[in-house]
Amino acid sequence: MVNFKQFWTKKTLVGLGLGQFLSLLITSTGFSSSELAKRGINAPTSQSFLNYVLLSVVYGSVMLYRRQALKAKWYYYVILGLVDVEANYLVVKAYQYTSITSVMLLDCWSIPSVMLLTYIFLKTKYRYRKIAGVIVCVAGLVMVVFSDVHAGDRSGGSNPRKGDLLVIAGATLYAISNVSEEFLVKNADRVELMSFLGLFGAIISAIQISIVERNELKSIHWTAGAAFPFLGFSLAMFLFYSFVPVLLKMSGSTMLNLSLLTSDMWAVIIRIFAYHEKVDWMYFLAFVAVAVGLIIYSGGDKDDDQSRADVADQGTERSKHFDEEAGFDNLSRGNTVGSSKMGDMSRHDCMTSSGGRETIENTSIGKDMQGKKS
């Protein structure tokens, strides 16, 4: 009989809620990028640049105030910054060559990549329940893809093969970035991670902008309508990057990537209520499937941790019992086989110890008598 109470632990609810908050932030960045694209602004690296600057200024100030030594090597953050910047660039760039449906489907490559990397490098072991949760989530996303095909919204794109390769490469880099952040946030410090990711991310983005997007920035006519979504994108990304380490430390990078699957479905809900667009019924079924998969994956973590702790405690008790038995055996063998000289020394030690106890007892009795006299 399945105990459904194990799914509704505090850790599960907080993880699910935080995951959906991050998913909504990603959805808002998507709408901001779409609005910028409608205005002819196509500068993905420039959009991320302000986010990295905010991270370096805010969290860097906290680091300077703390004045603590680094807990991880600085060049780890250089590599992480490079991977993160290029992951954002490749996935956004892929929309120019392939369809949205292909990007949605191939972006799921980050989930098995994360699971493989965490299994190899972080020694994370996934139980059958968690694997089942991943399968249900991916099945829900496949329903979204079939819904797009059924609705006739699929477009081939100018160069689908190039776009698909860009998505796969970007999803792989996302997986590397998420696993690296999970390792650093669990073994170093969240503030240190965010400040150095922002610092090196801003430096790498600035170099890339000067090479790739310099002419694009010159051609932009900055108005309030163009600046508002640009700033909105940066603020949403700043909040996203700030809360990602919290979820990574709590539930891991696989849970993060599964939670972000619902971003496309939140976009559909916004389209329905904000733009009054009609969508296929399979979207709603897919949303339920992903939600159920998330609950299956994240549910019962507290009980699993408690059971592992109980097993560890039992192992410790057995080890202590074994050590005590081994100690008594050695003591008895020593008394039986030991030489007469050792026996005399043992008797002398016992007498000394006995005398010491008597002295302590007499001292204690004397203090009690003095207390009664007073």
Side-chain angles (χ1 to χ4, degrees):
M1 189 71 181
V2 179
N3 183 15
F4 290 99
K5 290 183 179 180
Q6 67 177 345
F7 291 112
W8 304 111
T9 61
K10 181 179 179 181
K11 181 180 178 181
T12 300
L13 294 176
V14 173
L16 289 172
L18 183 57
Q20 292 314 297
F21 175 67
L22 294 175
S23 182
L24 284 171
L25 288 175
I26 285 295
T27 304
S28 64
T29 61
F31 275 95
S32 298
S33 298
S34 176
E35 185 65 25
L36 291 172
K38 290 179 181 178
R39 297 177 178 274
I41 300 174
N42 184 23
T45 309
S46 301
Q47 292 175 215
S48 302
F49 173 73
L50 185 55
N51 164 53
Y52 291 123
V53 172
L54 288 174
L55 289 174
S56 62
V57 171
V58 174
Y59 291 98
S61 300
V62 177
M63 272 202 68
L64 292 175
Y65 177 77
R66 287 182 176 182
R67 296 182 180 179
Q68 294 180 350
L70 295 182
K71 297 182 179 179
K73 301 295 184 181
W74 63 270
Y75 47 82
Y76 291 162
Y77 298 112
V78 176
I79 299 173
L80 176 61
L82 178 63
V83 170
D84 195 75
V85 169
E86 299 309 321
N88 289 326
Y89 177 80
L90 289 174
V91 172
V92 174
K93 192 73 174 176
Y95 284 95
Q96 300 179 15
Y97 301 103
T98 189
S99 64
I100 296 177
T101 306
S102 296
V103 173
M104 288 170 55
L105 179 61
L106 295 174
D107 196 47
C108 293
W109 173 249
S110 62
I111 295 175
S113 299
V114 163
M115 297 185 72
L116 179 63
L117 291 172
T118 52
Y119 177 79
I120 295 174
F121 295 104
L122 302 184
K123 308 301 179 184
T124 303
K125 295 183 179 180
Y126 295 96
R127 298 189 176 187
Y128 292 113
R129 173 174 55 79
K130 291 187 177 294
I131 296 175
V134 172
I135 293 174
V136 173
C137 284
V138 175
L141 197 68
V142 171
M143 290 182 190
V144 177
V145 176
F146 281 124
S147 176
D148 286 339
V149 175
H150 180 260
D153 293 335
R154 184 183 177 93
S155 58
S158 60
N159 193 342
R161 289 187 179 181
K162 183 177 180 180
D164 292 348
L165 289 176
L166 289 174
V167 176
I168 293 174
T172 304
L173 291 180
Y174 273 137
I176 296 173
S177 176
N178 291 336
V179 174
S180 301
E181 288 185 30
E182 180 181 352
F183 174 80
L184 290 170
V185 79
K186 290 181 178 179
N187 295 276
D189 182 69
R190 184 174 73 93
V191 175
E192 177 181 308
L193 169 63
M194 289 293 98
S195 59
F196 277 96
L197 177 60
L199 175 63
F200 293 116
I203 294 173
I204 295 170
S205 296
I207 296 173
Q208 185 161 311
I209 290 170
S210 63
I211 299 173
V212 179
E213 299 179 0
R214 180 175 54 188
N215 295 328
E216 182 68 26
L217 290 177
K218 290 180 179 179
S219 62
I220 296 176
H221 179 64
W222 292 103
T223 61
F228 182 76
F230 197 91
L231 294 175
F233 176 90
S234 300
L235 180 60
M237 287 296 288
F238 172 75
L239 293 174
F240 177 80
Y241 274 72
S242 297
F243 284 99
V244 159
V246 180
L247 185 60
L248 288 176
K249 190 171 185 178
M250 182 185 303
S251 304
S253 50
T254 303
M255 179 62 180
L256 169 64
N257 283 271
L258 291 176
S259 298
L260 297 183
L261 291 180
T262 59
S263 60
D264 298 302
M265 299 170 196
W266 286 119
V268 170
I269 293 176
I270 294 175
R271 282 165 51 192
I272 293 173
F273 292 99
Y275 300 101
H276 305 287
E277 297 181 6
K278 293 183 178 180
V279 296
D280 196 79
W281 61 271
M282 292 185 70
Y283 269 106
F284 301 100
L285 183 61
F287 188 88
V288 173
V290 173
V292 171
L294 286 172
I295 294 173
I296 293 173
Y297 179 87
S298 61
D301 287 338
K302 183 177 180 181
D303 293 340
D304 292 342
D305 296 338
Q306 184 63 39
S307 63
R308 286 193 291 268
D310 293 339
V311 171
D313 291 339
Q314 292 175 3
T316 303
E317 291 296 330
R318 286 195 296 268
S319 178
K320 289 181 178 179
H321 183 67
F322 176 78
D323 292 340
E324 289 175 357
E325 289 183 347
F328 283 129
D329 292 340
N330 292 333
L331 180 60
S332 62
R333 283 196 294 268
N335 290 334
T336 304
V337 183
S339 63
S340 59
K341 184 176 180 180
M342 294 297 294
D344 292 339
M345 292 178 64
S346 299
R347 284 193 296 273
H348 180 268
D349 292 339
C350 290
M351 291 175 64
T352 304
S353 175
S354 177
R357 285 196 298 270
E358 290 177 0
T359 303
I360 294 172
E361 290 174 358
N362 292 335
T363 303
S364 178
I365 293 171
K367 289 182 179 179
D368 293 338
M369 293 297 293
Q370 290 177 2
K372 290 179 179 180
K373 288 179 181 180
S374 60

